[in-house]
Amino acid sequence: MRAIEITQPGAPDVLQLCERPIPTLNPGEVLIRVHAAGVNRPDVLQRLGRYPVPPGASDLPGLEVAGEIVDGDLTGSRFRKGDMVCALVQGGGYAEYCAAPLLQCLPLPAGLSALQAASLPETFFTVWSNVFDRAALADGETLLVQGGSSGIGVSAIQIARALGHRVFATAGNDEKCRACEALGAERAINYRSEDFAGVVKAITGGKGVDVVLDMVGGDYVPREIDCLADDGRVVLIALLGGAKATLDLGQVLRRRLTLSGSTLRARPVEFKARIAASLHQRVWPLIEAGRIKPVIFKTFPLEQASAAHALMETSTHIGKIVLQVL
């Protein structure tokens, strides 16, 4: 099969087209003939040598795919060979075939193409796990999404808004802010020209937000603490702004605040299977009703994966970048 491999840590041009054997399956896995694969920030970090591959996972990049199930033991499942699915995987998505845990597969939402569905798993699993499971965003609560125009951001805004929450977001320019608002953010804040903590406090009448989804870290964290409501929660999923922060722990104590972090890639299949079940029950109907839509900025053919990574590194995109494989 054709695949994209990381020849050595480095710039986008270290991504090269190669020939690899079609993956062999472990128990509980299915083989997917990949039609499309999503491109995500962790793929960039892996290419740079800063995101280690979990033991036993493919060294090929790619954490989400959509395509046709062509092999595997489907006994007792809802799927049959020939079914079209999208799946969260530990790696190997930038290829014509990919092994995926059956329990991490979801049917293509009605009305969506494989290209559109390939943009869903990594961000939707991440958002659900952190915003709704870990932070337990409850009815009537509010959410602030940092980086609202990113793949994670557009997913978080849409899911939370479709489930009835007030959502606010930050983005790096006015165009991205307007895009966030078009997707359902009540107010998008240009973090280059506005103080997001001050704006959040003002638009919530001084209360603050109940949950912050943070992929920045660094000096954002103390400002997020400042704009949390009592009993508020920050969920940290990336460290694009740095791994160190100085916090006012007095606020954490007095106002019963929670700061937690998580990564998804190395978690066991059983953990991800529970997220898949929640998404199928709670979110897939909203996609099929048109209340949540894939946001794809640009697609590239598989052999142009390096160009896809170069685009991601500019941070000019709004939404997802996807590789067309078939």
Side-chain angles (χ1 to χ4, degrees):
M1 68 175 185
R2 295 187 310 147
I4 296 292
E5 65 182 2
I6 301 170
T7 55
Q8 63 184 35
D13 61 5
V14 305
L15 296 174
Q16 295 291 325
L17 191 66
C18 67
E19 293 284 331
R20 287 284 188 96
I22 292 174
T24 56
L25 299 180
N26 295 315
E29 291 183 337
V30 295
L31 185 66
I32 296 174
R33 186 185 186 198
V34 178
H35 288 216
V39 177
N40 294 284
R41 189 70 62 173
D43 303 343
V44 172
L45 295 177
Q46 180 178 333
R47 192 201 77 226
L48 292 169
R50 291 159 40 193
Y51 194 37
V53 176
S58 171
D59 67 303
L60 300 176
L63 300 176
E64 60 184 347
V65 299
E68 177 189 355
I69 294 177
V70 294
D71 198 5
D73 183 1
L74 303 171
T75 303
S77 80
R78 69 166 72 93
F79 299 117
R80 299 291 180 267
K81 288 181 183 177
D83 284 352
M84 295 293 293
V85 297
C86 58
L88 182 73
V89 296
Q90 278 197 319
Y94 292 14
E96 292 180 316
Y97 291 88
C98 182
L102 177 60
L103 294 175
Q104 293 172 205
C105 294
L106 286 160
L108 263 59
L112 261 59
S113 67
L115 187 71
Q116 292 171 311
S119 73
L120 302 179
E122 199 273 341
T123 56
F124 277 52
F125 274 70
T126 298
V127 169
W128 192 269
S129 175
N130 286 278
V131 174
F132 295 96
D133 287 343
R134 179 169 289 273
L137 184 67
D139 291 347
E141 290 191 326
T142 52
L143 171 68
L144 171 64
V145 179
Q146 303 286 19
S149 62
S150 66
I152 291 284
V154 300
S155 302
I157 291 168
Q158 290 193 88
I159 295 171
R161 185 68 190 91
L163 291 172
H165 299 278
R166 294 179 71 194
V167 184
F168 313 106
T170 65
N173 60 45
D174 291 343
E175 178 190 5
K176 289 182 176 182
C177 285
R178 301 296 80 79
C180 292
E181 290 172 350
L183 291 169
E186 182 176 321
R187 171 75 152 84
I189 304 156
N190 185 336
Y191 62 78
R192 299 186 191 278
S193 60
E194 300 178 278
D195 169 23
F196 73 79
V199 173
V200 165
K201 292 296 287 290
I203 58 183
T204 58
K207 177 186 176 182
V209 292
D210 298 291
V211 173
V212 178
L213 178 62
D214 180 15
M215 60 195 78
V216 182
D219 64 4
Y220 268 46
V221 179
R223 288 183 278 166
E224 290 164 349
I225 295 294
D226 287 342
C227 70
L228 277 181
D230 290 353
D231 296 298
R233 292 87 72 196
V234 174
V235 281
L236 184 64
I237 60 171
L239 301 170
L240 298 177
K244 296 180 183 290
T246 301
L247 304 182
D248 178 359
L249 296 179
Q251 282 205 70
V252 176
L253 286 171
R254 291 191 304 272
R255 302 203 292 119
R256 304 172 302 279
L257 307 180
T258 302
L259 170 63
S260 68
S262 73
T263 59
L264 185 60
R265 188 177 189 181
R267 301 299 291 272
V269 171
E270 294 75 17
F271 177 85
K272 297 171 188 174
R274 292 192 292 271
I275 302 171
S278 294
L279 289 173
H280 192 242
Q281 178 185 4
R282 300 287 306 281
V283 177
W284 255 227
L286 298 172
I287 299 173
E288 293 176 344
R291 295 176 62 192
I292 297 173
K293 297 180 180 180
V295 180
I296 297 176
F297 183 77
K298 190 169 183 178
T299 63
F300 293 85
L302 177 66
E303 58 270 20
Q304 293 180 20
S306 60
H309 275 226
L311 172 59
M312 174 158 282
E313 290 185 327
T314 69
S315 295
T316 57
H317 59 291
I318 296 171
K320 293 296 291 284
I321 300 168
V322 180
L323 298 177
Q324 181 83 59
V325 180
L326 182 63

